[in-house]
Amino acid sequence: MNIASPTSNYFGQPEGILASAAHVANSKQMLALTGIKRKLSKGSTILHEEDDVKHVYEIVSGTVKTSKLLADGRRQVIGFFGAGDIIGLPFEFASFYSVEAVTQTTILCYPISQLHAVMGQSPELTKFVFSCVHNEQEKQIDHMISLGRKRPKERIASFLLDFYNKRVDMGFADQVIELPMSRVDISDYMGLTQETVCRVLSFFKRRAIITSRNSHEITILDLPSLERMAQSSVLH
Amino acid sequence: MNIASPTSNYFGQPEGILASAAHVANSKQMLALTGIKRKLSKGSTILHEEDDVKHVYEIVSGTVKTSKLLADGRRQVIGFFGAGDIIGLPFEFASFYSVEAVTQTTILCYPISQLHAVMGQSPELTKFVFSCVHNEQEKQIDHMISLGRKRPKERIASFLLDFYNKRVDMGFADQVIELPMSRVDISDYMGLTQETVCRVLSFFKRRAIITSRNSHEITILDLPSLERMAQSSVLH
DNA sequence: CGCATGATTGAAGTACGTCAACTCTTGTGG
DNA sequence: CCACAAGAGTTGACGTACTTCAATCATGCG
């Protein structure tokens, strides 16, 4: 579902995955779906909780996180999104989470009204949008299992594998994963404290399962062990 | 989004919420969307994990749960669904969870292919289906926050309030909530053990926040306290 | 270079899980 | 109709895995 080079844009070809999906599906009618490009600096908020959602966002480059706050400040990060990911359901509503840029990020904003118009003409685009909704829900359910039933080591191992597998899907063959977000972001995503996240990562390093040049770049040394760790942490 | 009497079915009126939505939207064309009725005994499985999803289900009466298993038998219950609820995304795919009847249950099964055909003709039905997807996702996100960032007392209080609020939405004015599922089901939903669920419920009883005639029927005595408890358990 | 912020490690406390006993319910068959 | 069994629910005692609090160590930016 993730496409290797979403930024590729040669003459005559619309920019962005959604636009491309609409373009291919309507090559005869040349029905236009054009996203407005926006550049976001690190930490800036794209959408606050409760804001009216008028656009679907496609990440061109960078990373964003979606999150929700409790009254006393506790935070749950719902998800992280990178290049090629689509954020937002394909209809207007009050957002149930905020969307923030983790790094400097470029996004394409598709007005939902326009998206609907084109979807009405293009079953292929409709299908593609549905597949995004589907992927999104599957990711959310896996995340719920991590939060509800996995131990910290299993959660972090699953988290690292998610990033690794995404890179594999995108055609990269190395064992390096980039974690642009802070330890606090990771802990708020995993339902843990930042200290526990650190300790688990240190544990993986001590066990030579991973190594890291700096805190935002992790190299997997022992993939089978990491995969076992994601399933069960019984053998510590 | 919950309608009080989904079983109401007078002459000439199609049965079920989805069918009604399609009917109203197409009163001139009389486009048919008919669900096949199925009766399920307590504990029976409607859908296993990985099964191909060919239908969207509407609960007429009873309660069902969706859940997913880990390799070593740990279980996460994703959600509980009662009368008027719709289960399943409006397109075919391999299910990412199993669907089981918690009590004797009656459901209406709408073939997804037929649903799509009617959706193509009826923007109102499409809108209604989207609103179901939207509600479903909002519930899932709230659940993720419970699992990731709430303490057991807050989780259980939120859980009870969900059931209470649903009853209020359906027009009931009493403070009684029915919990047809077992304590183990609740614990697998909340990411806790059954013992912790019991202890928290006992704590609420000792505090005269709730009372119960039997283990499946709970009466809220102190709604404000329960609502406070769902936000924060600091004052024990 | 120096400060601010983030990451890591250590020590100590506690909330929740585990294990186990007991009770209450429900249903079945003598 | 009661006796008993099987299962679900509840409570208690205890251990520990994670959090909390605190100090130290990197990193990066002005």
Side-chain angles (χ1 to χ4, degrees), chain A residues 31-116:
Chain A
L31 210 52
L33 180 66
T34 42
I36 298 152
K37 197 182 266 192
R38 273 181 67 189
K39 276 189 198 295
L40 301 153
S41 58
K42 179 174 174 172
S44 65
T45 299
I46 303 165
L47 212 63
H48 294 89
E49 275 180 53
E50 313 281 329
D51 277 359
D52 285 338
V53 179
K54 300 250 185 250
H55 297 86
V56 164
Y57 303 106
E58 176 182 328
I59 315 293
V60 175
S61 67
T63 304
V64 310
K65 66 182 180 206
T66 55
S67 67
K68 203 167 170 173
L69 279 171
L70 263 73
D72 60 358
R74 280 174 289 179
R75 199 172 59 124
Q76 178 65 44
V77 170
I78 311 300
F80 295 108
F81 300 83
D85 291 335
I86 312 284
I87 303 181
L89 288 168
F91 44 86
E92 304 191 11
F93 61 99
S95 182
F96 19 66
Y97 44 60
S98 68
V99 183
E100 289 164 77
V102 170
T103 59
Q104 186 174 304
T105 300
T106 306
I107 58 173
L108 284 166
C109 309
Y110 299 95
I112 287 174
S113 54
Q114 195 194 341
L115 182 65
H116 268 267

Side-chain angles (χ1 to χ4, degrees), chain A residues 1-2 142 157-172 174-177 220 223 226-227 230:
Chain A
M1 210 44 53
N2 295 302
D142 284 342
S158 302
F159 176 74
L160 295 177
L161 285 171
D162 282 347
F163 278 77
Y164 172 73
N165 289 327
K166 190 174 173 187
R167 263 183 82 82
V168 170
D169 288 349
M170 283 165 59
F172 294 95
D174 55 6
Q175 311 286 94
V176 180
I177 47 188
I220 299 177
L223 187 61
L226 196 63
E227 282 166 340

Side-chain angles (χ1 to χ4, degrees), chain B residues 139-233:
Chain B
K139 268 169 56 179
Q140 267 178 31
I141 285 172
D142 284 342
H143 192 191
M144 264 171 54
I145 292 172
S146 275
L147 293 174
R149 283 292 173 233
K150 287 191 180 176
R151 333 216 95 199
K153 281 169 191 165
E154 300 167 322
R155 290 187 211 182
I156 308 272
S158 301
F159 176 74
L160 296 176
L161 285 171
D162 283 347
F163 278 78
Y164 172 74
N165 289 327
K166 190 174 172 186
R167 263 184 82 83
V168 170
D169 288 348
M170 285 165 58
F172 293 95
D174 56 5
Q175 311 287 95
V176 180
I177 45 187
E178 210 199 330
L179 302 178
M181 69 295 292
S182 71
R183 294 292 189 260
V184 173
D185 280 342
I186 298 176
S187 65
D188 282 343
Y189 179 67
M190 301 269 76
L192 302 168
T193 60
Q194 54 173 327
E195 290 93 333
T196 300
V197 171
C198 270
R199 277 187 252 269
V200 170
L201 289 173
S202 298
F203 171 84
F204 287 167
K205 283 176 204 162
R206 240 178 295 126
R207 280 292 195 90
I209 294 171
I210 61 168
T211 186
S212 70
R213 140 189 344 268
N214 65 62
S215 66
H216 292 293
E217 189 189 307
I218 284 181
T219 305
I220 298 175
L221 298 175
D222 186 349
L223 186 61
S225 287
L226 196 63
E227 282 167 339
R228 252 179 285 119
M229 202 62 82
Q231 289 287 320
S232 161
S233 61

Side-chain angles (χ1 to χ4, degrees), chain B residues 54-68:
Chain B
K54 299 253 185 247
H55 298 85
V56 164
Y57 303 105
E58 176 182 328
I59 315 292
V60 175
S61 68
T63 304
V64 310
K65 66 183 179 204
T66 54
S67 66
K68 203 167 170 173

Side-chain angles (χ1 to χ4, degrees), chain A:
Chain A
M1 210 44 53
N2 295 302
I3 293 167
S5 54
T7 49
S8 67
N9 184 23
Y10 51 90
F11 183 72
Q13 188 71 11
E15 186 169 23
I17 294 173
L18 275 179
S20 297
H23 181 82
V24 169
N26 287 277
S27 48
K28 284 158 200 164
Q29 303 161 54
M30 283 296 168
L31 210 52
L33 180 66
T34 42
I36 298 152
K37 197 182 266 192
R38 273 181 67 189
K39 276 189 198 295
L40 301 153
S41 58
K42 179 174 174 172
S44 65
T45 299
I46 303 165
L47 212 63
H48 294 89
E49 275 180 53
E50 313 281 329
D51 277 359
D52 285 338
V53 179
K54 300 250 185 250
H55 297 86
V56 164
Y57 303 106
E58 176 182 328
I59 315 293
V60 175
S61 67
T63 304
V64 310
K65 66 182 180 206
T66 55
S67 67
K68 203 167 170 173
L69 279 171
L70 263 73
D72 60 358
R74 280 174 289 179
R75 199 172 59 124
Q76 178 65 44
V77 170
I78 311 300
F80 295 108
F81 300 83
D85 291 335
I86 312 284
I87 303 181
L89 288 168
F91 44 86
E92 304 191 11
F93 61 99
S95 182
F96 19 66
Y97 44 60
S98 68
V99 183
E100 289 164 77
V102 170
T103 59
Q104 186 174 304
T105 300
T106 306
I107 58 173
L108 284 166
C109 309
Y110 299 95
I112 287 174
S113 54
Q114 195 194 341
L115 182 65
H116 268 267
V118 181
M119 273 169 72
Q121 305 291 319
S122 159
E124 282 81 6
L125 177 63
T126 307
K127 203 171 174 185
F128 178 74
V129 168
F130 276 159
S131 77
C132 291
V133 174
H134 173 254
N135 284 334
E136 182 60 18
Q137 205 193 1
E138 180 157 33
K139 268 169 55 180
Q140 267 179 31
I141 286 172
D142 284 342
H143 191 190
M144 265 172 53
I145 292 172
S146 274
L147 293 173
R149 284 291 174 234
K150 286 191 179 175
R151 331 215 96 202
K153 281 169 192 166
E154 299 168 323
R155 290 187 210 182
I156 309 273
S158 302
F159 176 74
L160 295 177
L161 285 171
D162 282 347
F163 278 77
Y164 172 73
N165 289 327
K166 190 174 173 187
R167 263 183 82 82
V168 170
D169 288 349
M170 283 165 59
F172 294 95
D174 55 6
Q175 311 286 94
V176 180
I177 47 188
E178 210 200 328
L179 302 178
M181 70 294 289
S182 71
R183 294 292 188 259
V184 174
D185 280 343
I186 298 176
S187 65
D188 283 343
Y189 180 66
M190 301 270 75
L192 302 167
T193 59
Q194 54 173 328
E195 291 92 334
T196 301
V197 171
C198 270
R199 277 187 252 271
V200 171
L201 288 174
S202 298
F203 171 84
F204 287 167
K205 283 176 204 163
R206 240 177 294 126
R207 280 290 196 89
I209 295 171
I210 61 169
T211 187
S212 68
R213 141 187 344 267
N214 64 62
S215 65
H216 292 292
E217 190 188 307
I218 285 181
T219 305
I220 299 177
L221 299 175
D222 185 349
L223 187 61
S225 287
L226 196 63
E227 282 166 340
R228 252 180 283 117
M229 202 62 83
Q231 289 286 319
S232 161
S233 62
V234 201
L235 326 158
H236 280 0

